[in-house]
Structure formats: structure tokens, C-alpha cells
Short mmCIF file of all heavy atoms in Angstrom, two decimals:
data_model
loop_
_atom_site.label_atom_id
_atom_site.label_comp_id
_atom_site.label_asym_id
_atom_site.label_seq_id
_atom_site.Cartn_x
_atom_site.Cartn_y
_atom_site.Cartn_z
N GLN A 1 0.83 -1.16 0.04
CA GLN A 1 -0.01 0.06 -0.09
C GLN A 1 0.84 1.22 -0.01
O GLN A 1 0.85 2.11 0.89
CB GLN A 1 -0.92 -0.02 1.21
CG GLN A 1 -1.86 -1.07 1.33
CD GLN A 1 -2.91 -1.12 0.13
OE1 GLN A 1 -3.41 -0.07 -0.26
NE2 GLN A 1 -3.08 -2.15 -0.59
N GLY A 2 1.78 1.40 -0.98
CA GLY A 2 2.73 2.34 -1.05
C GLY A 2 2.06 3.71 -1.65
O GLY A 2 0.84 3.82 -1.86
N LEU A 3 3.05 4.61 -1.95
CA LEU A 3 2.69 5.99 -2.51
C LEU A 3 2.40 5.75 -4.08
O LEU A 3 3.27 5.39 -4.91
CB LEU A 3 3.73 6.89 -2.33
CG LEU A 3 4.11 7.14 -0.86
CD1 LEU A 3 5.36 8.09 -0.68
CD2 LEU A 3 2.93 7.67 -0.14
N ALA A 4 1.18 5.86 -4.52
CA ALA A 4 0.71 5.57 -5.81
C ALA A 4 1.54 6.36 -6.88
O ALA A 4 1.90 5.75 -7.93
CB ALA A 4 -0.76 5.90 -5.98
N TRP A 5 1.80 7.56 -6.58
CA TRP A 5 2.59 8.37 -7.66
C TRP A 5 3.96 7.67 -7.88
O TRP A 5 4.44 7.76 -9.01
CB TRP A 5 2.75 9.81 -7.30
CG TRP A 5 3.49 10.01 -6.04
CD1 TRP A 5 3.25 10.17 -4.72
CD2 TRP A 5 5.08 10.17 -6.14
NE1 TRP A 5 4.48 10.26 -3.94
CE2 TRP A 5 5.53 10.41 -4.80
CE3 TRP A 5 5.98 10.15 -7.09
CZ2 TRP A 5 6.85 10.54 -4.35
CZ3 TRP A 5 7.31 10.33 -6.76
CH2 TRP A 5 7.79 10.49 -5.38
N ALA A 6 4.62 7.25 -6.76
CA ALA A 6 5.97 6.56 -6.86
C ALA A 6 5.71 5.10 -7.55
O ALA A 6 6.61 4.85 -8.55
CB ALA A 6 6.58 6.55 -5.57
N VAL A 7 4.86 4.44 -7.17
CA VAL A 7 4.69 3.06 -7.70
C VAL A 7 4.36 3.13 -9.16
O VAL A 7 5.00 2.40 -9.95
CB VAL A 7 3.51 2.26 -6.94
CG1 VAL A 7 3.21 1.03 -7.57
CG2 VAL A 7 4.04 2.14 -5.37
N GLU A 8 3.38 3.90 -9.59
CA GLU A 8 2.98 3.94 -10.98
C GLU A 8 3.81 4.71 -11.73
O GLU A 8 4.19 4.53 -12.93
CB GLU A 8 1.54 4.63 -11.15
CG GLU A 8 0.45 3.64 -10.40
CD GLU A 8 0.33 2.24 -10.98
OE1 GLU A 8 0.90 1.96 -12.16
OE2 GLU A 8 -0.29 1.44 -10.29
N GLY A 9 4.50 5.86 -11.11
CA GLY A 9 5.43 6.58 -11.99
C GLY A 9 6.75 5.88 -12.19
O GLY A 9 7.18 5.97 -13.40
N LEU A 10 7.22 5.03 -11.33
CA LEU A 10 8.42 4.16 -11.71
C LEU A 10 8.00 3.24 -12.77
O LEU A 10 8.87 3.17 -13.68
CB LEU A 10 8.86 3.42 -10.45
CG LEU A 10 10.04 2.51 -10.61
CD1 LEU A 10 11.17 3.26 -11.17
CD2 LEU A 10 10.38 1.69 -9.34
N ALA A 11 6.90 2.55 -12.56
CA ALA A 11 6.51 1.61 -13.67
C ALA A 11 6.39 2.24 -15.07
O ALA A 11 6.83 1.82 -16.08
CB ALA A 11 5.19 0.83 -13.38
N GLU A 12 5.68 3.52 -15.08
CA GLU A 12 5.61 4.17 -16.34
C GLU A 12 6.97 4.78 -16.86
O GLU A 12 7.15 4.82 -18.02
CB GLU A 12 4.65 5.31 -16.07
CG GLU A 12 3.90 5.80 -17.27
CD GLU A 12 3.11 4.73 -17.97
OE1 GLU A 12 2.71 3.81 -17.56
OE2 GLU A 12 2.79 5.01 -19.27
N SER A 13 7.91 5.05 -15.93
CA SER A 13 9.15 5.63 -16.28
C SER A 13 9.95 4.52 -17.12
O SER A 13 10.50 4.81 -18.02
CB SER A 13 9.97 6.10 -15.06
OG SER A 13 11.17 6.50 -15.41
N VAL A 14 9.89 3.32 -16.39
CA VAL A 14 10.62 2.16 -17.12
C VAL A 14 10.07 1.83 -18.45
O VAL A 14 10.68 1.68 -19.48
CB VAL A 14 10.70 1.01 -16.28
CG1 VAL A 14 11.33 -0.24 -16.78
CG2 VAL A 14 11.45 1.18 -14.89
N ALA A 15 8.77 1.80 -18.52
CA ALA A 15 8.09 1.58 -19.73
C ALA A 15 8.32 2.66 -20.84
O ALA A 15 8.52 2.22 -21.89
CB ALA A 15 6.43 1.42 -19.56
N ALA A 16 8.35 3.80 -20.43
CA ALA A 16 8.70 4.98 -21.36
C ALA A 16 10.18 4.80 -21.85
O ALA A 16 10.37 5.19 -22.98
CB ALA A 16 8.39 6.30 -20.85
N ARG A 17 11.08 4.41 -21.00
CA ARG A 17 12.50 4.26 -21.37
C ARG A 17 12.62 3.13 -22.36
O ARG A 17 13.55 3.14 -23.22
CB ARG A 17 13.32 4.12 -20.11
CG ARG A 17 13.60 5.33 -19.49
CD ARG A 17 14.51 5.19 -18.35
NE ARG A 17 14.65 6.48 -17.65
CZ ARG A 17 15.76 6.78 -16.83
NH1 ARG A 17 16.70 5.86 -16.70
NH2 ARG A 17 15.81 7.94 -16.21
N ALA A 18 11.71 2.13 -22.31
CA ALA A 18 11.83 0.93 -23.11
C ALA A 18 11.12 1.10 -24.41
O ALA A 18 11.39 0.19 -25.38
CB ALA A 18 11.28 -0.26 -22.28
N ASP A 19 10.20 2.08 -24.49
CA ASP A 19 9.46 2.20 -25.60
C ASP A 19 9.32 3.64 -26.07
O ASP A 19 8.63 4.39 -25.38
CB ASP A 19 8.03 1.58 -25.43
CG ASP A 19 7.17 1.81 -26.68
OD1 ASP A 19 7.51 1.31 -27.75
OD2 ASP A 19 6.13 2.27 -26.54
N ARG A 20 9.88 4.04 -27.18
CA ARG A 20 9.85 5.40 -27.61
C ARG A 20 8.53 5.99 -27.82
O ARG A 20 8.26 7.20 -27.49
CB ARG A 20 10.71 5.48 -28.86
CG ARG A 20 10.82 7.04 -29.32
CD ARG A 20 11.82 7.11 -30.42
NE ARG A 20 13.12 6.78 -30.11
CZ ARG A 20 14.00 6.18 -30.79
NH1 ARG A 20 13.71 6.03 -32.15
NH2 ARG A 20 15.16 5.83 -30.39
N SER A 21 7.48 5.22 -28.25
CA SER A 21 6.17 5.64 -28.63
C SER A 21 5.52 6.03 -27.24
O SER A 21 4.70 6.83 -27.17
CB SER A 21 5.45 4.78 -29.53
OG SER A 21 5.18 3.58 -28.84
N THR A 22 5.72 5.26 -26.24
CA THR A 22 5.13 5.44 -24.94
C THR A 22 5.71 6.73 -24.40
O THR A 22 5.00 7.58 -23.73
CB THR A 22 5.39 4.32 -24.03
OG1 THR A 22 4.75 3.22 -24.53
CG2 THR A 22 4.89 4.59 -22.60
N ALA A 23 6.99 6.97 -24.38
CA ALA A 23 7.59 8.26 -24.03
C ALA A 23 6.97 9.31 -24.71
O ALA A 23 6.66 10.37 -23.98
CB ALA A 23 9.09 8.15 -24.26
N GLN A 24 6.85 9.29 -25.98
CA GLN A 24 6.26 10.41 -26.76
C GLN A 24 4.80 10.59 -26.45
O GLN A 24 4.43 11.72 -26.26
CB GLN A 24 6.48 10.26 -28.27
CG GLN A 24 6.07 11.49 -29.06
CD GLN A 24 6.81 12.75 -28.76
OE1 GLN A 24 8.10 12.69 -28.72
NE2 GLN A 24 6.21 13.78 -28.28
N ALA A 25 3.99 9.57 -26.24
CA ALA A 25 2.58 9.77 -25.92
C ALA A 25 2.45 10.35 -24.51
O ALA A 25 1.63 11.16 -24.30
CB ALA A 25 1.95 8.33 -25.84
N ASN A 26 3.32 9.86 -23.63
CA ASN A 26 3.23 10.47 -22.21
C ASN A 26 3.80 12.01 -22.26
O ASN A 26 3.02 12.86 -21.65
CB ASN A 26 4.12 9.70 -21.25
CG ASN A 26 3.50 8.41 -20.88
OD1 ASN A 26 2.39 8.14 -21.20
ND2 ASN A 26 4.20 7.59 -20.17
N ARG A 27 4.67 12.31 -22.97
CA ARG A 27 5.10 13.65 -23.11
C ARG A 27 3.87 14.56 -23.63
O ARG A 27 3.75 15.58 -23.20
CB ARG A 27 6.36 13.81 -23.99
CG ARG A 27 6.72 15.32 -24.16
CD ARG A 27 8.22 15.50 -24.58
NE ARG A 27 8.65 16.76 -24.69
CZ ARG A 27 8.98 17.62 -23.75
NH1 ARG A 27 8.81 17.15 -22.44
NH2 ARG A 27 9.32 18.79 -23.98
N ASN A 28 3.32 14.03 -24.75
CA ASN A 28 2.13 14.78 -25.28
C ASN A 28 1.03 15.04 -24.24
O ASN A 28 0.45 15.99 -24.26
CB ASN A 28 1.61 14.11 -26.56
CG ASN A 28 2.59 14.09 -27.82
OD1 ASN A 28 3.55 14.94 -27.71
ND2 ASN A 28 2.39 13.22 -28.67
N LEU A 29 0.74 13.98 -23.50
CA LEU A 29 -0.33 14.10 -22.41
C LEU A 29 0.02 15.18 -21.40
O LEU A 29 -0.79 15.98 -20.97
CB LEU A 29 -0.55 12.78 -21.76
CG LEU A 29 -1.20 11.64 -22.52
CD1 LEU A 29 -1.06 10.33 -21.77
CD2 LEU A 29 -2.70 12.03 -22.73
N VAL A 30 1.32 15.14 -21.05
CA VAL A 30 1.76 16.21 -20.09
C VAL A 30 1.71 17.52 -20.70
O VAL A 30 1.37 18.54 -20.02
CB VAL A 30 3.32 15.90 -19.61
CG1 VAL A 30 3.86 17.07 -18.78
CG2 VAL A 30 3.26 14.68 -18.78
N LEU A 31 2.18 17.80 -21.91
CA LEU A 31 1.95 18.95 -22.60
C LEU A 31 0.59 19.53 -22.73
O LEU A 31 0.36 20.72 -22.39
CB LEU A 31 2.70 18.91 -24.04
CG LEU A 31 4.25 18.79 -24.07
CD1 LEU A 31 4.65 18.48 -25.49
CD2 LEU A 31 4.77 20.10 -23.52
N THR A 32 -0.37 18.65 -23.14
CA THR A 32 -1.62 19.03 -23.19
C THR A 32 -2.19 19.40 -21.90
O THR A 32 -2.98 20.41 -21.75
CB THR A 32 -2.49 17.85 -23.72
OG1 THR A 32 -2.10 17.55 -25.20
CG2 THR A 32 -4.04 18.12 -23.84
N TYR A 33 -1.85 18.63 -20.91
CA TYR A 33 -2.30 19.03 -19.35
C TYR A 33 -1.91 20.51 -19.14
O TYR A 33 -2.60 21.29 -18.59
CB TYR A 33 -1.81 17.97 -18.45
CG TYR A 33 -1.95 18.29 -17.03
CD1 TYR A 33 -3.19 17.97 -16.44
CD2 TYR A 33 -1.17 19.10 -16.38
CE1 TYR A 33 -3.51 18.31 -15.11
CE2 TYR A 33 -1.34 19.44 -15.02
CZ TYR A 33 -2.58 19.05 -14.36
OH TYR A 33 -2.85 19.50 -13.08
N LEU A 34 -0.47 20.79 -19.37
CA LEU A 34 0.10 22.04 -18.97
C LEU A 34 -0.56 23.14 -19.78
O LEU A 34 -0.48 24.26 -19.30
CB LEU A 34 1.75 21.97 -19.10
CG LEU A 34 2.27 21.08 -17.97
CD1 LEU A 34 3.74 20.88 -18.39
CD2 LEU A 34 2.08 21.63 -16.68
N GLU A 35 -1.03 22.86 -21.13
CA GLU A 35 -1.67 23.92 -21.75
C GLU A 35 -3.01 24.28 -21.15
O GLU A 35 -3.43 25.42 -21.33
CB GLU A 35 -1.87 23.39 -23.24
CG GLU A 35 -0.74 23.28 -24.10
CD GLU A 35 -1.05 22.61 -25.39
OE1 GLU A 35 -2.27 22.23 -25.73
OE2 GLU A 35 -0.06 22.29 -26.16
N ARG A 36 -3.59 23.46 -20.58
CA ARG A 36 -4.99 23.59 -19.96
C ARG A 36 -5.05 23.91 -18.42
O ARG A 36 -6.08 24.35 -17.93
CB ARG A 36 -5.90 22.40 -20.23
CG ARG A 36 -5.94 22.11 -21.58
CD ARG A 36 -6.76 20.81 -21.95
NE ARG A 36 -6.93 20.59 -23.37
CZ ARG A 36 -7.16 19.43 -23.88
NH1 ARG A 36 -7.45 18.51 -23.16
NH2 ARG A 36 -7.31 19.31 -25.19
N ASN A 37 -3.80 23.60 -17.74
CA ASN A 37 -3.94 23.70 -16.36
C ASN A 37 -2.65 24.32 -15.85
O ASN A 37 -1.57 24.21 -16.44
CB ASN A 37 -3.88 22.19 -15.65
CG ASN A 37 -5.17 21.47 -16.11
OD1 ASN A 37 -6.24 21.65 -15.51
ND2 ASN A 37 -5.05 20.64 -17.14
N PRO A 38 -2.61 24.92 -14.58
CA PRO A 38 -1.33 25.30 -14.01
C PRO A 38 -0.54 24.23 -13.52
O PRO A 38 -1.05 23.10 -13.40
CB PRO A 38 -1.92 26.17 -12.83
CG PRO A 38 -3.22 25.68 -12.50
CD PRO A 38 -3.82 25.27 -13.76
N VAL A 39 0.70 24.47 -13.30
CA VAL A 39 1.53 23.36 -12.62
C VAL A 39 0.89 23.01 -11.39
O VAL A 39 0.55 23.97 -10.53
CB VAL A 39 3.07 23.86 -12.42
CG1 VAL A 39 3.73 22.92 -11.48
CG2 VAL A 39 3.62 24.08 -13.80
N PRO A 40 0.63 21.66 -11.12
CA PRO A 40 0.05 21.19 -9.83
C PRO A 40 0.87 21.54 -8.57
O PRO A 40 2.01 21.71 -8.71
CB PRO A 40 -0.28 19.75 -10.03
CG PRO A 40 0.52 19.38 -11.20
CD PRO A 40 0.99 20.60 -11.95
N SER A 41 0.27 21.68 -7.45
CA SER A 41 0.81 22.06 -6.26
C SER A 41 1.45 20.78 -5.55
O SER A 41 2.18 20.87 -4.61
CB SER A 41 0.14 22.83 -5.34
OG SER A 41 -1.00 22.07 -4.97
N ALA A 42 0.96 19.60 -5.97
CA ALA A 42 1.26 18.35 -5.24
C ALA A 42 1.51 17.24 -6.36
O ALA A 42 1.20 17.36 -7.53
CB ALA A 42 0.19 17.96 -4.30
N LEU A 43 2.05 16.25 -5.85
CA LEU A 43 2.20 14.94 -6.67
C LEU A 43 0.90 14.31 -6.97
O LEU A 43 0.02 14.50 -6.26
CB LEU A 43 3.20 13.95 -5.97
CG LEU A 43 4.61 14.42 -5.63
CD1 LEU A 43 5.29 13.72 -4.51
CD2 LEU A 43 5.43 14.40 -6.79
N PRO A 44 0.85 13.60 -8.09
CA PRO A 44 -0.39 12.88 -8.40
C PRO A 44 -0.67 11.84 -7.36
O PRO A 44 0.02 10.89 -7.27
CB PRO A 44 -0.20 12.39 -9.82
CG PRO A 44 1.22 12.63 -10.10
CD PRO A 44 1.78 13.34 -9.17
N GLN A 45 -1.76 11.92 -6.62
CA GLN A 45 -2.01 11.07 -5.41
C GLN A 45 -2.63 9.65 -5.92
O GLN A 45 -2.30 8.75 -5.25
CB GLN A 45 -2.90 11.84 -4.47
CG GLN A 45 -2.20 12.95 -3.79
CD GLN A 45 -0.84 12.63 -3.13
OE1 GLN A 45 -0.88 11.74 -2.33
NE2 GLN A 45 0.14 13.34 -3.62
N ASP A 46 -3.43 9.58 -6.83
CA ASP A 46 -4.23 8.45 -7.10
C ASP A 46 -4.32 8.35 -8.70
O ASP A 46 -5.44 8.62 -9.24
CB ASP A 46 -5.57 8.49 -6.51
CG ASP A 46 -6.26 7.18 -6.72
OD1 ASP A 46 -5.57 6.22 -6.88
OD2 ASP A 46 -7.58 7.17 -6.52
N PRO A 47 -3.28 7.96 -9.34
CA PRO A 47 -3.23 7.89 -10.84
C PRO A 47 -4.30 6.99 -11.33
O PRO A 47 -4.41 5.83 -10.90
CB PRO A 47 -1.89 7.55 -11.28
CG PRO A 47 -1.01 7.65 -9.98
CD PRO A 47 -1.89 7.66 -8.82
#
């Protein structure tokens, strides 16, 4: 029952390093998020 941002973030980080299309898709998701929202004040708690 760990910290979800770290558990899921690590798994996603490894997957993105292993697959260029995942890395690009995730980057695009982050860019779209930042176009529509301010930088969050906290880590993602429950991905």
C-alpha cells in the first residue's frame, strides 16, 4: 500500500524508457495537461 505516484510513476518511467512511442505519448499528455492547467501544487496522489 505504497505511494501511488511513486509506484505507478516508476513503472511508467521504465516503460517509457523501453518504448519510444510510450515516451512520446506521455510527453504529449503532459504538454496537453500543462496547456490547460497550471503546474499542480502536489504529486499525483491516485493515478
